[in-house]
Amino acid sequence: LTPRGNEAEPRMAKKLADNEVGPHLDALAPDTQTVDLSKNNLTSAAAAAIQTFLQKSKGVLVLNLSGNDFDAAGAEQISVGLQLNGSLTTLSLVGSKIGSKGGLSIASALQINTALSSLDLSSTDQDIDSIIAFMTVLTANTALHALNLDRPLLRSTQNESATHVARMLVSNHTLQVLSLRKHDFADSGATLVSKALVQNTSLVSLDLGCNRISRDGVTSIARALATGSGLQQLHLDSNSIDDEGFVALCSAVPKSKINFLGLSFNRALGAGMDAFAFLLAGQTALRGFRIWGNPAISGAQLNTAICERLAKAISSRPEITSTDVRAYCVDGKYFLAQGE
């Protein structure tokens, strides 16, 4: 079932109303595995029907509720359904302002639910209390493999959430994907997380984009990569990483398991981009990267010599299948353009 509110086909030109959710869910075939109710602007008035559905369903695997208007009361009803559901593996509530109270309800459900493996609560107005609750639950929960807590509402700039994330990473050995964009991590927070990464055996993808990480923080992360972290994908886009940070990270990648590196919209100039070009030219496991938005390859400080070195390095690595830049040459000078 895919009654998305943005569905282009005429049959779904009208968004689903709250009172229509129950009949739609009741009409599902028993073997339905995916239900997509995203972007319908559903409110908590529809949550009771979703709770009932989760309690009764024995086959649904994926429930997409992103782009709706559930509040804390709606999240509480959905969490009751989660406690009694044994099949759902993927739940998204992206964009619903369920707040801390709603997040606490979902976290509480994870103490009972042993089926859910992927949870996306990006932009749901979580705060430090609910983040602590999720990190605490994850010290014991072994079912959840992917968690997105992007863009919480944090009032403190003391890296408090990083402390609890680090503690969780030390004790949890089943979580594989963690996204913490816009958590206001500074270098001290990144250092706490990086020290925990060395002791973690399961995490393969970490997204710390849109934070305040600079040279010292990324140097700590580089040290973790070089000394045993199992990370394969690292996203550090939109931070404040300068040349020294780039050099440290690029030196560590060949000693690590990294196959994707996100470094777009940072502050690399000459030495940082040269280090990245040297990394690409080497025989590493890197299969994808993002670097657009760094001053050396875009904007007023563009350096065509560095662009040429990057262009040649990229062309020498046909196995790289995911990148955000493409090279072109005009009058013998190389440039990079933002890719798709």
Side-chain angles (χ1 to χ4, degrees):
L1 178 69
T2 312
R4 294 192 298 266
N6 65 338
E7 180 63 60
E9 297 179 17
R11 62 184 175 85
M12 287 309 301
K14 175 179 173 292
K15 291 181 182 291
L16 205 61
D18 288 333
N19 61 1
E20 296 173 322
V21 172
H24 270 80
L25 295 177
D26 289 341
L28 290 180
D31 60 348
T32 300
Q33 295 185 344
T34 300
V35 177
D36 188 345
L37 297 173
S38 62
K39 300 182 181 178
N40 278 290
N41 301 126
L42 299 174
T43 71
S44 292
I50 296 170
Q51 174 189 333
T52 300
F53 169 70
L54 288 172
Q55 291 173 336
K56 291 181 177 180
S57 174
K58 299 185 184 304
V60 64
L61 300 177
V62 178
L63 178 58
N64 186 356
L65 299 174
S66 62
N68 287 297
D69 294 321
F70 298 109
D71 59 14
E76 186 172 356
Q77 289 182 292
I78 292 168
S79 69
V80 172
L82 279 177
Q83 293 178 34
L84 299 173
N85 180 278
S87 65
L88 192 71
T89 61
T90 303
L91 173 64
S92 174
L93 282 163
V94 175
S96 280
K97 305 308 179 184
I98 65 172
S100 177
K101 189 175 180 180
L104 289 170
S105 296
I106 301 293
S108 179
L110 293 180
Q111 293 180 298
I112 300 171
N113 183 290
T114 58
L116 197 69
S117 62
S118 178
L119 176 62
D120 194 340
L121 294 181
S122 173
S123 301
T124 57
D125 289 358
Q126 299 308 297
D127 67 5
I128 189 60
D129 292 333
S130 55
I131 290 171
I132 291 173
F134 279 109
M135 296 305 113
T136 301
V137 167
L138 281 173
T139 60
N141 180 293
T142 58
L144 203 66
H145 292 166
L147 177 63
N148 187 324
L149 290 173
D150 290 351
R151 202 183 176 213
L153 297 180
L154 300 177
R155 309 301 181 189
S156 171
T157 59
Q158 302 302 312
N159 295 298
E160 187 175 1
S161 66
T163 301
H164 297 279
V165 169
R167 289 174 182 168
M168 179 276 294
L169 288 174
V170 170
S171 58
N172 181 292
H173 297 287
T174 51
L175 191 69
Q176 298 175 9
V177 179
L178 180 61
S179 187
L180 300 170
R181 298 176 71 85
K182 298 187 177 181
H183 274 242
D184 207 30
F185 286 168
D187 287 338
S188 56
T191 298
L192 286 172
V193 172
S194 65
K195 289 180 179 178
L197 286 175
V198 178
Q199 301 178 61
N200 182 277
T201 59
S202 63
L203 201 69
V204 296
S205 177
L206 177 63
D207 192 337
L208 295 177
C210 300
N211 281 289
R212 296 187 292 118
I213 301 169
S214 59
R215 179 195 61 196
D216 292 346
V218 79
T219 299
S220 295
I221 293 173
R223 193 176 300 117
L225 294 180
T227 55
S229 168
L231 275 184
Q232 298 176 23
Q233 298 184 15
L234 177 61
H235 304 263
L236 293 169
D237 310 281
S238 300
N239 277 285
S240 300
I241 303 170
D242 61 9
D243 281 340
E244 289 184 63
F246 263 68
V247 171
L249 193 59
C250 291
S251 298
V253 168
K255 306 169 189 175
S256 74
K257 298 179 181 179
I258 291 291
N259 58 44
F260 185 93
L261 197 54
L263 290 167
S264 61
F265 296 99
N266 276 285
R267 298 180 180 178
L269 293 167
M273 277 293 122
D274 268 337
F276 192 80
F278 183 79
L279 171 67
L280 286 183
Q283 297 301 315
T284 75
L286 204 64
R287 294 294 181 272
F289 63 86
R290 289 197 300 262
I291 56 171
W292 181 256
N294 282 282
I297 61 173
S298 61
Q301 295 174 285
L302 183 145
N303 186 319
T304 56
I306 290 177
C307 287
E308 180 175 359
R309 287 192 283 275
L310 282 167
K312 292 180 178 179
I314 293 170
S315 66
S316 71
R317 297 289 303 281
E319 70 274 21
I320 292 180
T321 56
S322 177
T323 177
D324 65 341
V325 295
R326 55 185 179 84
Y328 64 98
C329 185
V330 177
D331 295 331
K333 292 184 177 182
Y334 283 86
F335 301 90
L336 296 179
Q338 187 172 16
E340 296 182 358

